[in-house]
Amino acid sequence: MTDVLPAGSLAGKVALVTGSSRGIGADTVRYFAEAGADVVINFRNKAPRAEKLASQLREHGVRALVVGADLTDPASVGSMFEQVSAEFGRLDILVLNASGGMESGMAEDYALTLNRDAQLNVLNAARPLLADGSRVVFVTSHQAHFIRTTPTMPEYEPVALSKRAGEDALRELIPSLEEEGIGFTVVSGDMIEGTITATLLERANPGAISARREDAGRLYNVSEFAAEVAKAALDAVPADNTRLVGDTSGFVAE
Ligand SMILES: NC(=O)c1ccc[n+]([C@@H]2O[C@H](COP(=O)([O-])OP(=O)(O)OC[C@H]3O[C@@H](n4cnc5c(N)ncnc54)[C@H](OP(=O)(O)O)[C@@H]3O)[C@@H](O)[C@H]2O)c1
């Protein structure tokens, strides 16, 4: 996993990726560290994984702070940014990657609580640390981004609707973010090979992922999609604040 971002391009910068102990978040934070950024690894449950990743990233000569925080708990989010402030005093890149809503045993509105309310709260709590020139990236799926025009699998629909509600709520902040020189980009991708979400959806709808792979030509894997998320934090913000990754055939634009 090298050369996704130019070497040294993030030296002196600080990047936080929510939900970065594993999966797409872990690979994204790794790309930032490889480019020289000091990083904040946020986890909810997977503390040992987060600590192991931090030790690997420190071998690149960067600092890595590990912070456990349930993003649906405002006190936990407040404490996370207090720790970031104490350790680094600033934040240059915030990636809103953590997501959920298909877990069993959660409250009925959990998907909205995590994918909309918590995203807004995390961004608002981070704002005092985000200076002119900093960047915010919100990670989503095509199945969520296009949910208003393109139906998805029933098991994923509540997640898709909640993620789109989160995206819309964050987009409302764009004018005030721009006023402060903070760039905001939504990165949307198709189903990703090898993720728990794709596995769960395939189990509920046998053949669905292979059918999508066939329609799209190919599906990205975790490290390929994470590379797009990482690049979105450095590349110019697109005019419509949206970076669509891979094939979008079958998804209807609004
Ligand atoms: N999977 C796909 O096919 C796909 C496709 C396109 C876009 N995406 C997007 O990519 C992003 C990452 O997806 P993924 O598949 O890597 O997700 P994932 O495997 O479900 O991982 C979610 C991450 O979020 C964290 N998290 C969940 N609930 C949390 C909470 N309440 N507080 C703090 N952290 C929490 C988890 O932390 P713990 O492990 O510590 O619990 C985990 O690190 C999401 O925004 C998703 O919509 C995914």
mmCIF file of all heavy atoms in Angstrom, residues 24 192-194 218-226:
data_model
loop_
_atom_site.group_PDB
_atom_site.id
_atom_site.type_symbol
_atom_site.label_atom_id
_atom_site.label_comp_id
_atom_site.label_asym_id
_atom_site.label_seq_id
_atom_site.Cartn_x
_atom_site.Cartn_y
_atom_site.Cartn_z
ATOM 1 N N ILE A 24 -12.381 -0.251 5.690
ATOM 2 C CA ILE A 24 -12.081 0.911 4.847
ATOM 3 C C ILE A 24 -11.417 2.021 5.679
ATOM 4 O O ILE A 24 -10.452 2.646 5.239
ATOM 5 C CB ILE A 24 -13.397 1.408 4.194
ATOM 6 C CG1 ILE A 24 -13.914 0.337 3.213
ATOM 7 C CG2 ILE A 24 -13.198 2.746 3.491
ATOM 8 C CD1 ILE A 24 -15.400 0.412 2.894
ATOM 9 N N ILE A 192 -18.564 -3.006 -1.772
ATOM 10 C CA ILE A 192 -17.130 -3.276 -1.762
ATOM 11 C C ILE A 192 -16.885 -4.754 -1.465
ATOM 12 O O ILE A 192 -17.431 -5.291 -0.485
ATOM 13 C CB ILE A 192 -16.411 -2.423 -0.684
ATOM 14 C CG1 ILE A 192 -16.798 -0.936 -0.790
ATOM 15 C CG2 ILE A 192 -14.911 -2.630 -0.745
ATOM 16 C CD1 ILE A 192 -16.352 -0.228 -2.021
ATOM 17 N N GLU A 193 -16.057 -5.368 -2.295
ATOM 18 C CA GLU A 193 -15.723 -6.790 -2.127
ATOM 19 C C GLU A 193 -15.140 -7.050 -0.734
ATOM 20 O O GLU A 193 -14.307 -6.268 -0.269
ATOM 21 C CB GLU A 193 -14.638 -7.213 -3.129
ATOM 22 C CG GLU A 193 -14.995 -7.065 -4.588
ATOM 23 C CD GLU A 193 -15.751 -8.277 -5.140
ATOM 24 O OE1 GLU A 193 -16.206 -9.125 -4.345
ATOM 25 O OE2 GLU A 193 -15.899 -8.328 -6.367
ATOM 26 N N GLY A 194 -15.601 -8.112 -0.101
ATOM 27 C CA GLY A 194 -14.938 -8.580 1.116
ATOM 28 C C GLY A 194 -15.343 -7.857 2.389
ATOM 29 O O GLY A 194 -14.738 -8.086 3.436
ATOM 30 N N ARG A 218 -16.823 -4.585 -12.492
ATOM 31 C CA ARG A 218 -16.057 -5.079 -11.353
ATOM 32 C C ARG A 218 -16.423 -4.257 -10.128
ATOM 33 O O ARG A 218 -16.951 -3.148 -10.256
ATOM 34 C CB ARG A 218 -14.552 -4.968 -11.591
ATOM 35 C CG ARG A 218 -14.002 -3.562 -11.484
ATOM 36 C CD ARG A 218 -12.492 -3.566 -11.625
ATOM 37 N NE ARG A 218 -11.919 -2.266 -11.302
ATOM 38 C CZ ARG A 218 -11.291 -1.986 -10.161
ATOM 39 N NH1 ARG A 218 -11.157 -2.903 -9.230
ATOM 40 N NH2 ARG A 218 -10.785 -0.782 -9.950
ATOM 41 N N LEU A 219 -16.167 -4.810 -8.963
ATOM 42 C CA LEU A 219 -16.377 -4.062 -7.721
ATOM 43 C C LEU A 219 -15.019 -3.738 -7.119
ATOM 44 O O LEU A 219 -14.072 -4.515 -7.274
ATOM 45 C CB LEU A 219 -17.204 -4.896 -6.722
ATOM 46 C CG LEU A 219 -18.624 -5.241 -7.163
ATOM 47 C CD1 LEU A 219 -19.311 -6.116 -6.107
ATOM 48 C CD2 LEU A 219 -19.461 -3.982 -7.413
ATOM 49 N N TYR A 220 -14.906 -2.600 -6.448
ATOM 50 C CA TYR A 220 -13.658 -2.236 -5.772
ATOM 51 C C TYR A 220 -13.478 -3.120 -4.545
ATOM 52 O O TYR A 220 -14.450 -3.582 -3.950
ATOM 53 C CB TYR A 220 -13.706 -0.772 -5.326
ATOM 54 C CG TYR A 220 -13.391 0.210 -6.426
ATOM 55 C CD1 TYR A 220 -14.135 0.239 -7.597
ATOM 56 C CD2 TYR A 220 -12.349 1.128 -6.282
ATOM 57 C CE1 TYR A 220 -13.842 1.152 -8.606
ATOM 58 C CE2 TYR A 220 -12.060 2.051 -7.287
ATOM 59 C CZ TYR A 220 -12.808 2.042 -8.441
ATOM 60 O OH TYR A 220 -12.525 2.944 -9.435
ATOM 61 N N ASN A 221 -12.212 -3.329 -4.144
ATOM 62 C CA ASN A 221 -11.980 -3.969 -2.856
ATOM 63 C C ASN A 221 -11.711 -2.892 -1.804
ATOM 64 O O ASN A 221 -11.696 -1.698 -2.116
ATOM 65 C CB ASN A 221 -10.860 -5.020 -2.938
ATOM 66 C CG ASN A 221 -9.525 -4.411 -3.277
ATOM 67 O OD1 ASN A 221 -9.247 -3.265 -2.933
ATOM 68 N ND2 ASN A 221 -8.681 -5.170 -3.965
ATOM 69 N N VAL A 222 -11.503 -3.316 -0.558
ATOM 70 C CA VAL A 222 -11.388 -2.359 0.552
ATOM 71 C C VAL A 222 -10.238 -1.377 0.340
ATOM 72 O O VAL A 222 -10.406 -0.162 0.472
ATOM 73 C CB VAL A 222 -11.217 -3.128 1.889
ATOM 74 C CG1 VAL A 222 -10.804 -2.182 3.016
ATOM 75 C CG2 VAL A 222 -12.516 -3.847 2.245
ATOM 76 N N SER A 223 -9.064 -1.878 -0.029
ATOM 77 C CA SER A 223 -7.925 -0.955 -0.125
ATOM 78 C C SER A 223 -8.079 -0.022 -1.325
ATOM 79 O O SER A 223 -7.668 1.136 -1.266
ATOM 80 C CB SER A 223 -6.592 -1.705 -0.161
ATOM 81 O OG SER A 223 -6.528 -2.526 -1.286
ATOM 82 N N GLU A 224 -8.690 -0.496 -2.408
ATOM 83 C CA GLU A 224 -8.908 0.386 -3.571
ATOM 84 C C GLU A 224 -9.888 1.515 -3.232
ATOM 85 O O GLU A 224 -9.675 2.670 -3.600
ATOM 86 C CB GLU A 224 -9.477 -0.415 -4.749
ATOM 87 C CG GLU A 224 -8.484 -1.375 -5.379
ATOM 88 C CD GLU A 224 -9.153 -2.318 -6.379
ATOM 89 O OE1 GLU A 224 -10.345 -2.675 -6.196
ATOM 90 O OE2 GLU A 224 -8.485 -2.701 -7.348
ATOM 91 N N PHE A 225 -10.955 1.177 -2.530
ATOM 92 C CA PHE A 225 -11.936 2.218 -2.185
ATOM 93 C C PHE A 225 -11.331 3.180 -1.163
ATOM 94 O O PHE A 225 -11.500 4.403 -1.270
ATOM 95 C CB PHE A 225 -13.228 1.576 -1.659
ATOM 96 C CG PHE A 225 -14.314 2.583 -1.357
ATOM 97 C CD1 PHE A 225 -14.785 3.448 -2.344
ATOM 98 C CD2 PHE A 225 -14.870 2.672 -0.086
ATOM 99 C CE1 PHE A 225 -15.787 4.391 -2.063
ATOM 100 C CE2 PHE A 225 -15.862 3.606 0.197
ATOM 101 C CZ PHE A 225 -16.325 4.464 -0.789
ATOM 102 N N ALA A 226 -10.599 2.629 -0.189
ATOM 103 C CA ALA A 226 -9.961 3.492 0.815
ATOM 104 C C ALA A 226 -9.006 4.476 0.140
ATOM 105 O O ALA A 226 -8.874 5.627 0.573
ATOM 106 C CB ALA A 226 -9.216 2.643 1.842
#
